Amino acid sequence: MESRIHFLLLRAAAMTLLLAVTAGCSLLGRSREPAEDANASSPVIDPRIERRDVAPPKIDSEDFEITGYYGMMSVEDFGTNSVVGARLAYHVTEGLFAEATYAQTSDVDKSSAEILGNYDLSFGSDRKYKYYDLSLGYNLLPGEVFIGKNHAFNSAFYVVAGAGNTTFHDEDMFTLSFGGGYRLLLTDAIGLHFDVRDHLFDDDISGEDKATNNIEFTLGLSWFF
């Protein structure tokens, strides 16, 4: 009987020891750091960005623009004549600019009254139409014009309005001017202009006082400085 009791006690002790060893191995396994994944050190997206050297465009920042232009001017009652002139503009902001203009036509043609009546109006020795004015303009719809795949030019439509003086048949007349144009920048300092403008003043050369519209179409080349 005693031998049976001793056997049971030894068996219980052996089971207790086995459980203790198993628990110890489990605790030792938990205290170990998890093995590092070889791919964990290489992120899917590399946050480092490779910087490129970028050359900014060399756009002229000068505010003054001088323009020489040539075109045709329809002087009411006196036909269409060539006109040549110059403009000086100051760009106050990117959109707003102020402009001073001076121009004159070639000798104007005879009016229909002069031709039919076979006489010459009192022009003295000068039959030229001359004018100067001060105007304000505003750039509308700025954009770019593409020629081919590698060439782009800045462009803008603009409107202008102003007032000045017209000298015609030895008289000076207060004149309102208004119109619009299109500017194309060929380089950072050189521009090409297409303009249409109307010069409105009261004239009594025909014997009655009336408002005359004198429209000009011009092509100009400008330089920023």
Side-chain angles (χ1 to χ4, degrees):
M1 182 68 179
E2 291 180 0
S3 60
R4 183 177 178 83
I5 293 173
H6 289 163
F7 175 75
L8 293 174
L9 291 175
L10 288 174
R11 187 175 180 181
M15 292 296 294
T16 302
L17 180 61
L18 180 61
L19 292 172
V21 171
T22 303
C25 291
S26 177
L27 292 174
L28 288 175
R30 290 181 181 178
S31 63
R32 293 177 183 175
E33 294 293 333
E36 294 184 359
D37 188 356
N39 297 324
S41 61
S42 301
V44 178
I45 300 177
D46 190 352
R48 294 173 299 178
I49 301 175
E50 184 179 354
R51 302 295 180 182
R52 296 184 304 152
D53 293 331
V54 179
K58 296 180 180 180
I59 299 175
D60 202 313
S61 60
E62 301 297 341
D63 296 326
F64 288 95
E65 179 186 16
I66 187 169
T67 305
Y69 64 89
Y70 176 84
M72 303 302 293
M73 186 170 194
S74 175
V75 181
E76 187 168 334
D77 295 328
F78 291 91
T80 301
N81 309 271
S82 61
V83 61
V84 61
R87 298 186 180 105
L88 177 63
Y90 175 68
H91 293 265
V92 182
T93 67
E94 186 176 352
L96 182 66
F97 61 92
E99 185 179 77
T101 303
Y102 176 81
Q104 70 176 28
T105 69
S106 58
D107 288 343
V108 298
D109 298 330
K110 288 187 176 183
S111 66
S112 57
E114 289 178 287
I115 295 174
L116 294 175
N118 194 24
Y119 67 92
D120 191 358
L121 291 172
S122 178
F123 278 87
S125 60
D126 190 359
R127 292 185 64 91
K128 290 181 174 58
Y129 176 111
K130 304 174 184 178
Y131 72 85
Y132 63 84
D133 57 47
L134 296 174
S135 305
L136 286 178
Y138 193 81
N139 295 315
L140 301 173
L141 305 176
E144 290 184 327
V145 173
F146 293 88
I147 299 178
K149 296 181 179 179
N150 301 320
H151 301 282
F153 302 94
N154 292 327
S155 64
F157 287 95
Y158 54 88
V159 292
V160 291
N165 181 80
T166 295
T167 301
F168 189 44
H169 54 81
D170 294 333
E171 291 186 17
D172 292 325
M173 293 156 287
F174 176 75
T175 305
L176 297 176
S177 63
F178 54 90
Y182 180 74
R183 180 194 304 110
L184 181 67
L185 290 180
L186 303 178
T187 69
D188 61 332
I190 298 176
L192 189 64
H193 290 253
F194 304 90
D195 284 86
V196 180
R197 305 196 183 190
D198 186 12
H199 302 269
L200 177 65
F201 60 84
D202 290 333
D203 189 12
D204 60 356
I205 192 172
S206 62
E208 59 177 337
D209 193 10
K210 68 173 183 177
T212 62
N213 291 275
N214 307 277
I215 302 175
E216 65 176 349
F217 301 85
T218 60
L219 174 64
L221 191 65
S222 68
W223 177 56
F224 288 86
F225 65 98

